Amino acid sequence: MPSLRAGAVAALSAADLDEKVRVTRQTAAQWRGRSLSLRAPADPAIPDRPGRPDRPELVAPRLLKKRALNTVNGRIALMHALAHIELNAIDLALDIVARFAQMPIPPSFFDNWMQVADDEARHFTLLRDRLRSLGADYGDLPAHDGLWQAATDTRGDLIARLAIVPLVLEARGLDVTPGLAAKLREFGDTETAAILDVIYHDEKTHVAVGAKWFRFFCARHGIDAASRFQALVSEHFHGQVKPPFNDRARSAAGLTPLFYRAMSSASMSR
């Protein structure tokens, strides 16, 4: 790859998911080794949408069935949904690198987000391998396209992207993942629970990356971080910020209740 941005675009554009994972991880390793420039004049254009295979079928969220975790099919459905989240997370991390590479940003910003992309590629692989061990695969079940909407809505505003993706969407993983892992262990699925433990550990780092850079850019512009977060979420997030919250994990990552508790109260009262 001639540059980090070119590598990120190549991985983002790849419709073959094995190729997407391979190029993501290779680009991350080359960037860590400082064998890539940040950008180059001949870098390809950033796609409006990431490359995807023909399956899964994308449907409205309300059309997705909820299944009990005490059955194999229910656990397959959970892993499929999580694999879909992790696939979108790969592309969201690649997009933030490629889309904002022209901005005057410290190189450590790109260090952090390529590590996030590398982690998400590893998570997707773990979940897909687990699905395959149960006779299933990613693409077998329908999924929804809501996560990529966050990239579309914030494509022109880096601070908004940081507010919505790591500090809302990924922070939600801190709230729900420990409970899911506990339920899986209760039903005897220790292998999947161990994968969720890995994801949860890395998610704390990802939220911390988002919080660090959100605060950095707010400070650069002389903006109160908590107030700006609330305004951006109200503008760009189409769901509700609602409990239960894992306050301890969120606070350890730099996302204190001052950011989201008032929004939760407002959303619950509507």
PDB file of all heavy atoms in Angstrom, residues 80-100:
ATOM      1  N   HIS A  80     -24.283 -14.262  15.341  1.00  0.00           N
ATOM      2  CA  HIS A  80     -24.432 -13.646  14.023  1.00  0.00           C
ATOM      3  C   HIS A  80     -24.638 -12.146  14.174  1.00  0.00           C
ATOM      4  O   HIS A  80     -24.018 -11.339  13.457  1.00  0.00           O
ATOM      5  CB  HIS A  80     -25.609 -14.280  13.279  1.00  0.00           C
ATOM      6  CG  HIS A  80     -25.671 -13.918  11.831  1.00  0.00           C
ATOM      7  ND1 HIS A  80     -26.200 -12.724  11.381  1.00  0.00           N
ATOM      8  CD2 HIS A  80     -25.252 -14.582  10.718  1.00  0.00           C
ATOM      9  CE1 HIS A  80     -26.109 -12.682  10.067  1.00  0.00           C
ATOM     10  NE2 HIS A  80     -25.542 -13.791   9.637  1.00  0.00           N
ATOM     11  N   ALA A  81     -25.487 -11.759  15.117  1.00  0.00           N
ATOM     12  CA  ALA A  81     -25.728 -10.327  15.353  1.00  0.00           C
ATOM     13  C   ALA A  81     -24.453  -9.635  15.817  1.00  0.00           C
ATOM     14  O   ALA A  81     -24.138  -8.517  15.375  1.00  0.00           O
ATOM     15  CB  ALA A  81     -26.837 -10.157  16.385  1.00  0.00           C
ATOM     16  N   LEU A  82     -23.696 -10.279  16.702  1.00  0.00           N
ATOM     17  CA  LEU A  82     -22.449  -9.690  17.184  1.00  0.00           C
ATOM     18  C   LEU A  82     -21.401  -9.615  16.075  1.00  0.00           C
ATOM     19  O   LEU A  82     -20.658  -8.630  15.981  1.00  0.00           O
ATOM     20  CB  LEU A  82     -21.911 -10.495  18.365  1.00  0.00           C
ATOM     21  CG  LEU A  82     -22.751 -10.462  19.642  1.00  0.00           C
ATOM     22  CD1 LEU A  82     -22.171 -11.414  20.691  1.00  0.00           C
ATOM     23  CD2 LEU A  82     -22.845  -9.045  20.203  1.00  0.00           C
ATOM     24  N   ALA A  83     -21.338 -10.651  15.224  1.00  0.00           N
ATOM     25  CA  ALA A  83     -20.401 -10.617  14.099  1.00  0.00           C
ATOM     26  C   ALA A  83     -20.736  -9.459  13.160  1.00  0.00           C
ATOM     27  O   ALA A  83     -19.836  -8.786  12.635  1.00  0.00           O
ATOM     28  CB  ALA A  83     -20.435 -11.942  13.340  1.00  0.00           C
ATOM     29  N   HIS A  84     -22.025  -9.205  12.971  1.00  0.00           N
ATOM     30  CA  HIS A  84     -22.440  -8.088  12.118  1.00  0.00           C
ATOM     31  C   HIS A  84     -22.012  -6.751  12.734  1.00  0.00           C
ATOM     32  O   HIS A  84     -21.550  -5.846  12.022  1.00  0.00           O
ATOM     33  CB  HIS A  84     -23.956  -8.129  11.935  1.00  0.00           C
ATOM     34  CG  HIS A  84     -24.473  -7.107  10.963  1.00  0.00           C
ATOM     35  ND1 HIS A  84     -24.171  -7.130   9.615  1.00  0.00           N
ATOM     36  CD2 HIS A  84     -25.267  -6.015  11.148  1.00  0.00           C
ATOM     37  CE1 HIS A  84     -24.755  -6.114   9.015  1.00  0.00           C
ATOM     38  NE2 HIS A  84     -25.418  -5.416   9.919  1.00  0.00           N
ATOM     39  N   ILE A  85     -22.140  -6.643  14.042  1.00  0.00           N
ATOM     40  CA  ILE A  85     -21.686  -5.431  14.736  1.00  0.00           C
ATOM     41  C   ILE A  85     -20.180  -5.255  14.565  1.00  0.00           C
ATOM     42  O   ILE A  85     -19.690  -4.159  14.271  1.00  0.00           O
ATOM     43  CB  ILE A  85     -22.063  -5.506  16.224  1.00  0.00           C
ATOM     44  CG1 ILE A  85     -23.579  -5.380  16.397  1.00  0.00           C
ATOM     45  CG2 ILE A  85     -21.342  -4.415  17.030  1.00  0.00           C
ATOM     46  CD1 ILE A  85     -24.070  -5.687  17.804  1.00  0.00           C
ATOM     47  N   GLU A  86     -19.429  -6.334  14.745  1.00  0.00           N
ATOM     48  CA  GLU A  86     -17.970  -6.244  14.641  1.00  0.00           C
ATOM     49  C   GLU A  86     -17.527  -5.926  13.214  1.00  0.00           C
ATOM     50  O   GLU A  86     -16.554  -5.187  13.009  1.00  0.00           O
ATOM     51  CB  GLU A  86     -17.323  -7.542  15.131  1.00  0.00           C
ATOM     52  CG  GLU A  86     -17.563  -7.852  16.600  1.00  0.00           C
ATOM     53  CD  GLU A  86     -17.001  -6.799  17.536  1.00  0.00           C
ATOM     54  OE1 GLU A  86     -15.958  -6.201  17.204  1.00  0.00           O
ATOM     55  OE2 GLU A  86     -17.595  -6.579  18.598  1.00  0.00           O
ATOM     56  N   LEU A  87     -18.237  -6.473  12.219  1.00  0.00           N
ATOM     57  CA  LEU A  87     -17.901  -6.147  10.826  1.00  0.00           C
ATOM     58  C   LEU A  87     -18.099  -4.658  10.571  1.00  0.00           C
ATOM     59  O   LEU A  87     -17.240  -3.994   9.969  1.00  0.00           O
ATOM     60  CB  LEU A  87     -18.778  -6.975   9.880  1.00  0.00           C
ATOM     61  CG  LEU A  87     -18.622  -6.669   8.391  1.00  0.00           C
ATOM     62  CD1 LEU A  87     -17.183  -6.889   7.916  1.00  0.00           C
ATOM     63  CD2 LEU A  87     -19.592  -7.515   7.568  1.00  0.00           C
ATOM     64  N   ASN A  88     -19.224  -4.117  11.034  1.00  0.00           N
ATOM     65  CA  ASN A  88     -19.445  -2.682  10.889  1.00  0.00           C
ATOM     66  C   ASN A  88     -18.400  -1.882  11.661  1.00  0.00           C
ATOM     67  O   ASN A  88     -17.979  -0.811  11.216  1.00  0.00           O
ATOM     68  CB  ASN A  88     -20.846  -2.319  11.367  1.00  0.00           C
ATOM     69  CG  ASN A  88     -21.899  -2.528  10.306  1.00  0.00           C
ATOM     70  OD1 ASN A  88     -22.152  -1.662   9.474  1.00  0.00           O
ATOM     71  ND2 ASN A  88     -22.510  -3.703  10.309  1.00  0.00           N
ATOM     72  N   ALA A  89     -17.975  -2.402  12.811  1.00  0.00           N
ATOM     73  CA  ALA A  89     -16.973  -1.705  13.607  1.00  0.00           C
ATOM     74  C   ALA A  89     -15.625  -1.640  12.888  1.00  0.00           C
ATOM     75  O   ALA A  89     -14.904  -0.635  12.993  1.00  0.00           O
ATOM     76  CB  ALA A  89     -16.819  -2.384  14.970  1.00  0.00           C
ATOM     77  N   ILE A  90     -15.267  -2.701  12.158  1.00  0.00           N
ATOM     78  CA  ILE A  90     -14.051  -2.651  11.335  1.00  0.00           C
ATOM     79  C   ILE A  90     -14.138  -1.470  10.373  1.00  0.00           C
ATOM     80  O   ILE A  90     -13.235  -0.633  10.274  1.00  0.00           O
ATOM     81  CB  ILE A  90     -13.868  -3.947  10.517  1.00  0.00           C
ATOM     82  CG1 ILE A  90     -13.715  -5.176  11.399  1.00  0.00           C
ATOM     83  CG2 ILE A  90     -12.651  -3.807   9.577  1.00  0.00           C
ATOM     84  CD1 ILE A  90     -13.800  -6.492  10.614  1.00  0.00           C
ATOM     85  N   ASP A  91     -15.253  -1.405   9.653  1.00  0.00           N
ATOM     86  CA  ASP A  91     -15.401  -0.388   8.615  1.00  0.00           C
ATOM     87  C   ASP A  91     -15.522   1.017   9.191  1.00  0.00           C
ATOM     88  O   ASP A  91     -15.038   1.979   8.593  1.00  0.00           O
ATOM     89  CB  ASP A  91     -16.611  -0.717   7.742  1.00  0.00           C
ATOM     90  CG  ASP A  91     -16.357  -1.904   6.824  1.00  0.00           C
ATOM     91  OD1 ASP A  91     -15.224  -2.028   6.324  1.00  0.00           O
ATOM     92  OD2 ASP A  91     -17.275  -2.710   6.611  1.00  0.00           O
ATOM     93  N   LEU A  92     -16.145   1.149  10.344  1.00  0.00           N
ATOM     94  CA  LEU A  92     -16.234   2.467  10.979  1.00  0.00           C
ATOM     95  C   LEU A  92     -14.855   2.971  11.384  1.00  0.00           C
ATOM     96  O   LEU A  92     -14.538   4.162  11.225  1.00  0.00           O
ATOM     97  CB  LEU A  92     -17.168   2.408  12.188  1.00  0.00           C
ATOM     98  CG  LEU A  92     -18.663   2.311  11.858  1.00  0.00           C
ATOM     99  CD1 LEU A  92     -19.452   1.876  13.090  1.00  0.00           C
ATOM    100  CD2 LEU A  92     -19.185   3.632  11.323  1.00  0.00           C
ATOM    101  N   ALA A  93     -14.009   2.072  11.908  1.00  0.00           N
ATOM    102  CA  ALA A  93     -12.647   2.469  12.281  1.00  0.00           C
ATOM    103  C   ALA A  93     -11.820   2.818  11.049  1.00  0.00           C
ATOM    104  O   ALA A  93     -11.066   3.805  11.038  1.00  0.00           O
ATOM    105  CB  ALA A  93     -11.977   1.365  13.087  1.00  0.00           C
ATOM    106  N   LEU A  94     -11.947   2.013   9.985  1.00  0.00           N
ATOM    107  CA  LEU A  94     -11.226   2.314   8.748  1.00  0.00           C
ATOM    108  C   LEU A  94     -11.688   3.644   8.153  1.00  0.00           C
ATOM    109  O   LEU A  94     -10.872   4.428   7.649  1.00  0.00           O
ATOM    110  CB  LEU A  94     -11.457   1.193   7.727  1.00  0.00           C
ATOM    111  CG  LEU A  94     -10.864  -0.169   8.069  1.00  0.00           C
ATOM    112  CD1 LEU A  94     -11.423  -1.229   7.125  1.00  0.00           C
ATOM    113  CD2 LEU A  94      -9.339  -0.149   8.008  1.00  0.00           C
ATOM    114  N   ASP A  95     -12.979   3.901   8.213  1.00  0.00           N
ATOM    115  CA  ASP A  95     -13.525   5.116   7.625  1.00  0.00           C
ATOM    116  C   ASP A  95     -13.034   6.363   8.360  1.00  0.00           C
ATOM    117  O   ASP A  95     -12.722   7.377   7.731  1.00  0.00           O
ATOM    118  CB  ASP A  95     -15.054   5.066   7.643  1.00  0.00           C
ATOM    119  CG  ASP A  95     -15.688   6.233   6.907  1.00  0.00           C
ATOM    120  OD1 ASP A  95     -15.789   6.174   5.670  1.00  0.00           O
ATOM    121  OD2 ASP A  95     -16.076   7.214   7.573  1.00  0.00           O
ATOM    122  N   ILE A  96     -12.935   6.293   9.702  1.00  0.00           N
ATOM    123  CA  ILE A  96     -12.473   7.472  10.438  1.00  0.00           C
ATOM    124  C   ILE A  96     -11.012   7.773  10.114  1.00  0.00           C
ATOM    125  O   ILE A  96     -10.609   8.935  10.046  1.00  0.00           O
ATOM    126  CB  ILE A  96     -12.689   7.292  11.964  1.00  0.00           C
ATOM    127  CG1 ILE A  96     -12.744   8.657  12.659  1.00  0.00           C
ATOM    128  CG2 ILE A  96     -11.626   6.424  12.595  1.00  0.00           C
ATOM    129  CD1 ILE A  96     -13.141   8.573  14.130  1.00  0.00           C
ATOM    130  N   VAL A  97     -10.233   6.727   9.842  1.00  0.00           N
ATOM    131  CA  VAL A  97      -8.834   6.932   9.442  1.00  0.00           C
ATOM    132  C   VAL A  97      -8.765   7.550   8.052  1.00  0.00           C
ATOM    133  O   VAL A  97      -8.086   8.553   7.824  1.00  0.00           O
ATOM    134  CB  VAL A  97      -8.075   5.590   9.488  1.00  0.00           C
ATOM    135  CG1 VAL A  97      -6.721   5.704   8.793  1.00  0.00           C
ATOM    136  CG2 VAL A  97      -7.890   5.130  10.935  1.00  0.00           C
ATOM    137  N   ALA A  98      -9.470   6.935   7.099  1.00  0.00           N
ATOM    138  CA  ALA A  98      -9.384   7.399   5.707  1.00  0.00           C
ATOM    139  C   ALA A  98     -10.017   8.773   5.523  1.00  0.00           C
ATOM    140  O   ALA A  98      -9.454   9.643   4.846  1.00  0.00           O
ATOM    141  CB  ALA A  98     -10.066   6.374   4.792  1.00  0.00           C
ATOM    142  N   ARG A  99     -11.173   8.986   6.141  1.00  0.00           N
ATOM    143  CA  ARG A  99     -11.948  10.209   5.890  1.00  0.00           C
ATOM    144  C   ARG A  99     -11.293  11.447   6.492  1.00  0.00           C
ATOM    145  O   ARG A  99     -11.424  12.547   5.950  1.00  0.00           O
ATOM    146  CB  ARG A  99     -13.362  10.039   6.440  1.00  0.00           C
ATOM    147  CG  ARG A  99     -14.336  11.130   6.007  1.00  0.00           C
ATOM    148  CD  ARG A  99     -15.758  10.716   6.293  1.00  0.00           C
ATOM    149  NE  ARG A  99     -16.136   9.518   5.585  1.00  0.00           N
ATOM    150  CZ  ARG A  99     -16.490   9.468   4.306  1.00  0.00           C
ATOM    151  NH1 ARG A  99     -16.500  10.581   3.585  1.00  0.00           N
ATOM    152  NH2 ARG A  99     -16.813   8.320   3.741  1.00  0.00           N
ATOM    153  N   PHE A 100     -10.601  11.283   7.600  1.00  0.00           N
ATOM    154  CA  PHE A 100     -10.067  12.458   8.294  1.00  0.00           C
ATOM    155  C   PHE A 100      -8.541  12.519   8.255  1.00  0.00           C
ATOM    156  O   PHE A 100      -7.934  13.256   9.032  1.00  0.00           O
ATOM    157  CB  PHE A 100     -10.591  12.477   9.730  1.00  0.00           C
ATOM    158  CG  PHE A 100     -12.101  12.532   9.793  1.00  0.00           C
ATOM    159  CD1 PHE A 100     -12.848  11.412  10.121  1.00  0.00           C
ATOM    160  CD2 PHE A 100     -12.772  13.707   9.494  1.00  0.00           C
ATOM    161  CE1 PHE A 100     -14.239  11.456  10.157  1.00  0.00           C
ATOM    162  CE2 PHE A 100     -14.162  13.768   9.529  1.00  0.00           C
ATOM    163  CZ  PHE A 100     -14.899  12.645   9.857  1.00  0.00           C
TER     164      PHE A 100
END
